[in-house]
Amino acid sequence: MFSCLNEMEGYATMATHDPYINGTKAADYAGCSARTLRRRVAEGKLTAYRSGRIVRYKKSDLDAMFTRTDTWAVN
């Protein structure tokens, strides 16, 4: 029933749902420490989702934290 409503009204279906993951899993996914993720949130470079003391991240936000680099700057 919900999938029909979602398709009819243009909402995202469960296949495109981006689940929230905790700090430990997010750090493993991003290949960095949980402290680095917290620092990126404080710098405004990463979005975290919070409910009380629980902090979660979306994989799409973690992917967006990284930028493509084709060349290295020489100082």
Side-chain angles (χ1 to χ4, degrees), residues 1-74:
M1 179 176 169
F2 289 109
S3 62
C4 293
L5 289 175
N6 289 339
E7 291 173 8
M8 289 173 38
E9 296 180 15
Y11 293 111
T13 61
M14 291 302 288
T16 61
H17 177 68
D18 191 9
Y20 297 101
I21 55 175
N22 66 24
T24 304
K25 290 181 181 179
D28 288 341
Y29 178 79
C32 62
S33 68
R35 182 178 180 193
T36 299
L37 294 180
R38 290 192 301 271
R39 188 169 49 243
R40 295 291 184 257
V41 170
E43 293 169 351
K45 297 180 180 179
L46 178 64
T47 302
Y49 302 88
R50 186 174 174 163
S51 175
R53 293 177 57 181
I54 299 171
V55 178
R56 298 286 189 258
Y57 303 90
K58 286 185 176 182
K59 287 184 178 182
S60 59
D61 291 332
L62 295 169
D63 290 336
M65 181 176 67
F66 295 96
T67 58
R68 180 179 173 171
T69 304
D70 292 333
T71 59
W72 295 101
V74 178

